[in-house]
């Protein structure tokens, strides 16, 4: 399997190089040349497989430069850290299925991909005798999951930028209480988009990237998207009994990576009826799907901070396919976005978008109402992000369909919102309770690219 850039500036490269590069040398995102197909017969044969076994079946189809036994070892190590034997179990509540993606080390869906990516980095670096300096931006959960994926690993430093004071208290503690020598937290006085813009700028400085061996851990790294494809397949296997029953997925999203993984699964042949893109007030993606309006607006702080994003990085991957794999059209679209603050689409393109996705925006009042009413009716607690997806599913997807809502975080990570909605504190798991009182380490900085660059250089030494 070879990988190419959405902007057309590189020749196809193998999987291991795609993992280590993260971002293509032309600033584009990496995608496989083609998607392997899954047949109905193969799907039915996987019904009794464990999560790591399903992961191997999916991931191995995209990897031809790692021996199967080694790849299996990386996968098995990655999911041995999860507290539930199914890794991503599915439960049924109030007419919807909840795909619980929060049984990893940091109680968020990012663990599913970042445990795999961290182990993959370690495997490739050991093979090549190299070092890596990971630089990433987070709106909340990516940072802690990335940190826990590589903390203490030989040959790796990690620098994570997050918006100062704009993550939940638990998210902040999960990052800043990790004081391993190779972990460096940077709190930026600004928004997530400020953090993400600076990370992209560092990677687009090819001389700096090469000199300091930068690696990407954000969802711009294809290996993360690939790992997320697995739980769509696993969930489909758990909620269907036989045959090719179509399933709809409701995905709370801000950066488009999680729902793009579902789009990949559908292209591979997984019977998906609808991909419902659920947003909060930062609804550029909903405006795009429903109105054809992809125009920038200010970021609003909400109860679901991991979705407080305007510029969705992985959206470029989808546009590459929407534009017929034409990198010239992709480059033109992002030039238009930079110059005019919007991207315009043809009527034919928008018709295709609406075949691929449906979308709904859920505001904070509706989010709180959903957490409260769902708990009252079922006794099941939703975190604010998952509540956005559940509300959208209940309103937008037919009640007689198979509806799977992705539960992206444990409710205790957003305890204040949960208690406000239900009047009941979210049960605090041991992994969170243990954070209180621990020493922290974090560098607070302005949204100044030069200063961030200098900090990274000085730290690496």
């Amino acid at each position: 399997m070879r990988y190419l850039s959405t902007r057309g500036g590189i020749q196809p490269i193998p999987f291991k190089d795609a993992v280590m590069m993260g971002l293509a040398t032309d600033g584009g995102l990496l995608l496989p040349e083609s998607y392997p197909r899954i047949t109905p017969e193969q799907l039915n044969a996987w019904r009794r497989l464990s999560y790591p076994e399903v992961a191997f079946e999916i991931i191995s189809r995209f990897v031809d430069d790692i021996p199967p036994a080694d790849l299996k070892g990386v996968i098995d190590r990655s999911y041995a850290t999860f507290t539930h034997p199914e890794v991503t179990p599915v439960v049924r509540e109030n007419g919807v299925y909840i795909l619980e993606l929060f049984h990893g080390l940091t109680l968020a869906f990012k663990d599913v991909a970042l445990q795999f990516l961290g182990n993959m980095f370690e495997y490739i670096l050991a093979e090549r005798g190299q070092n890596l300096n990971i630089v990433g931006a987070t709106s909340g959960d990516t940072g802690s999951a990335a940190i826990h994926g590589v903390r203490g690993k030989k040959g790796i430093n990690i620098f994570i930028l997050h918006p100062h004071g704009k993550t939940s208290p638990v998210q902040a503690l999960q990052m800043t209480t990790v004081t391993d020598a190779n972990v460096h937290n940077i709190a930026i006085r600004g928004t997530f988009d400020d953090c993400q813009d600076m990370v992209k700028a560092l990677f687009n400085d090819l001389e700096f990237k090469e000199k300091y061996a930068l690696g990407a851990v954000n969802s711009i790294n294809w290996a993360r998207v690939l790992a997320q494809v697995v739980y769509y397949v696993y969930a489909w296997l758990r909620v269907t009994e036989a045959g090719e029953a179509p399933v709809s997925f409701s995905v709370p999203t801000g950066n488009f990576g999680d729902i793009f993984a579902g789009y990949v699964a559908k292209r591979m042949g997984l019977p998906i009826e609808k991909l419902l893109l659920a947003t909060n007030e930062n609804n550029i993606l909903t405006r795009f799907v429903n109105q054809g309006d992809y125009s920038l607006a200010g970021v609003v702080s909400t109860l679901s901070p991991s979705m407080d994003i305007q510029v969705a990085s992985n959206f470029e991957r989808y546009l590459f396919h929407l534009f017929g794999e034409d990198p010239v059209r992709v480059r033109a679209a992002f030039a238009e976005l930079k110059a005019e603050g919007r991207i315009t689409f043809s009527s034919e393109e928008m018709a295709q978008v609406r075949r691929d996705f449906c979308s709904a925006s859920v505001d904070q009042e509706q989010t709180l109402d959903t957490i409260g009413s769902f708990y009252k009716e079922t006794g099941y607690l939703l975190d604010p992000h998952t509540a956005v997806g559940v509300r959208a599913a209940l309103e937008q997807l037919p009640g007689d369909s198979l509806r799977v809502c992705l539960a992206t975080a444990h409710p205790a990570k957003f305890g204040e919102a949960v208690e406000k909605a239900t009047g009941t504190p979210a049960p605090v798991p041991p992994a969170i309770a243990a954070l209180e009182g621990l020493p922290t380490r974090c560098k607070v900085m302005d949204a100044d690219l030069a200063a961030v660059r200098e900090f990274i250089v000085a730290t690496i030494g």
Side-chain angles (χ1 to χ4, degrees):
M1 176 68 67
R2 315 296 280 184
Y3 293 81
L4 48 78
S5 170
T6 55
R7 303 199 182 189
I10 64 168
Q11 296 300 312
I13 60 172
F15 175 77
K16 286 189 290 189
D17 286 347
V19 171
M20 299 307 293
M21 288 173 63
L23 191 70
T25 54
D26 61 358
L29 303 187
L30 296 168
L31 279 171
E33 284 186 300
S34 61
Y35 295 107
R37 296 287 296 177
I38 306 171
T39 66
E41 293 75 21
Q42 287 170 327
L43 279 171
N44 282 319
W46 294 348
R47 288 190 178 278
R48 296 189 179 185
L49 297 184
S50 68
Y51 190 92
E53 289 170 335
V54 173
F56 178 78
E57 292 293 341
I58 298 298
I59 294 171
S60 64
R61 283 164 164 73
F62 292 85
V63 180
D64 57 10
D65 56 349
I66 297 176
D70 289 358
L71 179 61
K72 185 178 185 302
V74 169
I75 291 170
D76 288 347
R77 288 195 300 277
S78 300
Y79 300 116
T81 61
F82 283 70
T83 58
H84 196 285
E86 288 192 74
V87 182
T88 64
V90 182
V91 299
R92 184 172 173 82
E93 299 285 351
N94 200 26
V96 297
Y97 289 95
I98 309 291
L99 174 58
E100 295 184 342
L101 302 175
F102 51 72
H103 293 281
L105 292 173
T106 70
L107 310 179
F109 82 101
K110 308 290 178 74
D111 291 317
V112 178
L114 286 163
Q115 284 295 306
F116 172 72
L117 182 58
N119 284 305
M120 185 56 66
F121 276 144
E122 186 177 46
Y123 172 84
I124 297 171
L125 291 170
E127 179 184 71
R128 296 180 176 183
Q130 296 175 342
N131 296 321
L132 184 68
N133 294 302
I134 295 170
V135 182
T138 185
S139 57
D141 287 330
T142 292
S144 56
I147 286 166
H148 284 267
V150 303
R151 64 180 300 181
K153 290 191 184 297
K154 187 177 180 181
I156 300 177
N157 283 305
I158 183 166
F159 299 85
I160 293 294
L161 285 65
H162 70 270
H164 183 48
K166 295 178 181 175
T167 65
S168 79
V170 170
Q171 288 175 321
L173 284 173
Q174 285 184 321
M175 291 185 284
T176 61
T177 56
V178 180
T179 56
D180 296 57
N182 72 326
V183 174
H184 310 283
N185 284 287
I186 304 173
I188 297 296
R189 298 184 184 97
T191 67
F192 168 74
D193 286 340
D194 293 326
C195 299
Q196 184 164 254
D197 287 346
M198 288 190 287
V199 169
K200 284 186 174 181
L202 291 171
F203 277 90
N204 286 332
D205 183 341
L206 300 184
E207 182 180 349
F208 184 85
K209 178 185 176 184
E210 182 176 354
K211 182 177 180 180
Y212 294 102
L214 298 191
V217 75
N218 276 47
S219 55
I220 56 176
N221 193 306
W222 165 252
R224 273 192 56 182
V225 176
L226 175 56
Q228 292 172 297
V229 173
V230 176
Y231 50 68
Y232 284 90
V233 178
Y234 187 78
W236 185 92
L237 293 169
R238 291 299 175 270
V239 304
T240 61
E241 295 180 358
E244 301 179 56
V247 174
S248 294
F249 290 89
S250 181
V251 189
T253 192
N255 218 15
F256 206 80
D258 210 4
I259 199 163
F260 184 75
Y263 172 78
V264 171
K266 186 173 184 178
R267 287 187 66 121
M268 292 178 70
L270 189 69
I272 293 178
E273 185 170 8
K274 292 286 186 180
L275 284 168
L276 172 54
L277 195 161
T279 66
N280 59 22
E281 286 93 332
N282 298 287
N283 62 358
I284 184 172
L285 294 171
T286 296
R287 286 189 283 111
F288 162 66
V289 173
N290 293 345
Q291 303 164 31
D293 174 17
Y294 192 85
S295 60
L296 300 181
V299 176
V300 178
S301 294
T302 74
L303 297 170
S304 45
S306 297
M307 299 161 64
D308 293 348
I309 298 168
Q310 280 295 319
V311 182
S313 292
N314 281 284
F315 188 59
E316 181 169 333
R317 285 189 163 105
Y318 173 67
L319 291 186
F320 180 73
H321 293 307
L322 180 64
F323 297 155
E325 286 78 49
D326 180 1
V328 175
R329 175 76 171 93
V330 173
R331 292 196 300 271
F334 282 93
E336 180 186 9
L337 181 66
K338 184 176 181 179
E340 301 180 22
R342 67 172 59 246
I343 300 175
T344 54
F345 298 89
S346 69
S347 57
E348 292 81 5
E349 289 165 347
M350 287 312 306
Q352 182 61 52
V353 168
R354 290 167 189 142
R355 286 191 290 269
D356 293 332
F357 303 101
C358 57
S359 189
S361 178
V362 176
D363 65 26
Q364 294 185 80
E365 182 179 347
Q366 292 171 317
T367 299
L368 289 171
D369 177 70
T370 303
I371 296 171
S373 61
F374 205 82
Y375 179 67
K376 183 178 180 179
E377 293 167 12
T378 68
Y380 190 94
L381 282 174
L382 304 170
D383 93 284
H385 304 78
T386 306
V388 169
V390 168
R391 178 70 171 241
L394 292 174
E395 291 186 349
Q396 299 291 322
L397 298 176
D400 59 352
S401 63
L402 291 172
R403 302 176 291 185
V404 177
C405 302
L406 275 60
T408 56
H410 191 287
K413 294 196 74 170
F414 303 91
E416 292 181 8
V418 169
E419 186 168 3
K420 183 177 181 180
T422 65
T424 302
V428 179
I432 290 179
L435 298 175
E436 292 297 331
L438 290 179
T440 62
R441 190 176 75 239
C442 183
K443 178 74 171 178
V444 180
M445 303 179 68
D446 290 331
D448 182 334
L449 177 61
V452 171
R453 187 193 306 263
E454 289 172 8
F455 177 79
I456 293 171
V457 171
T459 303
I460 294 171

